[in-house]
Amino acid sequence: MDQVITCLVVDDEPFARDLMENYIGRVPYLQPVAFCENAFDAINELQRQPVDLLFSDIQMPNINGIEMIRSLSNPPFVIFTTASKEHAIAGFELDAVDYLVKPISFERFLKAVNKARNHIGQRWQQAPPAETVKPKANPANHLFVKDNNKLTKILFDDIYYVEGMKDYIKIVCKEKNIITYMRMKVMEDVLPPDQFMRIHKSYIIRLQAIKSIMGNTVEVINGQTVIISKASRQDLKRLLGIANYNDDDE
């Protein structure tokens, strides 16, 4: 099998991520896509670009590795990495390829990767020939966020706007508001740029949710108003196709 295997690493420990980056770099057929420090970032990254293989720590804050895998509708092959053996049974119940106990030697890492390579190769061989496979539309029309100790699915079309609150964000939706631990930059990267725009350091708005614009505020279709920075007005004008919007008139 000569194909490159794409992979993603999620671990809250910087040293562990650095070690995995080093090990992956020593295996020619592994191509790392991202190194994430928490499950939120990993889930959002996987929604943007699926991978063949996931290296996941189990004991992580907020959402652990097992909870993360259970939340994925179509998870990749998984190799769990952890400092404890107590979660091994739960890991294998999720059909994990292997379970690596820290500290991880390169020899043990390579053994697990070769096992994963065989599984991935079998899946590729079972796939229909390339000429018969119909291209699939991008299914990403949602994201998952933690809400009261569970992962909640939010459709992009249900979002009015997102408000940043230091280390947290408030997602204002049609049915309810959700406050979750996430950086605004992560949320901005996850949301499709043709539907959302960051109009202020503290606000991201869904373009279709805009009702009107006046001065430095945007009125949302739910009746609330949010602030828009002066630097963002012209970009918003272009995205909305408003030809007669003139900042000099304000």
Side-chain angles (χ1 to χ4, degrees), residues 65-85:
I66 291 173
E67 292 171 334
M68 178 187 69
I69 300 303
R70 285 174 176 162
S71 76
L72 300 175
S73 57
N74 187 27
F77 286 105
V78 180
I79 295 177
F80 281 117
T81 62
T82 185
S84 173
K85 295 181 179 180

Side-chain angles (χ1 to χ4, degrees), residues 6-10 42 46 51-56 68-69 72 76-80:
T6 57
C7 59
L8 182 146
V9 174
V10 53
L46 290 170
V51 299
D52 301 312
L53 180 61
L54 173 65
F55 296 95
S56 176
M68 178 187 69
I69 300 303
L72 300 175
F77 286 105
V78 180
I79 295 177
F80 281 117

Side-chain angles (χ1 to χ4, degrees), residues 87-107:
H87 299 293
I89 295 177
F92 284 117
E93 285 177 350
L94 293 172
D95 294 326
V97 172
D98 211 336
Y99 186 97
L100 301 178
V101 180
K102 301 174 182 178
I104 303 166
S105 68
F106 179 70
E107 180 182 4

Side-chain angles (χ1 to χ4, degrees), residues 27 38 42 75 84 123 140 142 170 187 196 201 215:
V27 181
N38 59 65
S84 173
R123 175 178 290 180
H142 64 275
K170 179 170 72 171
M187 189 65 169
F196 292 84
K201 65 179 181 179

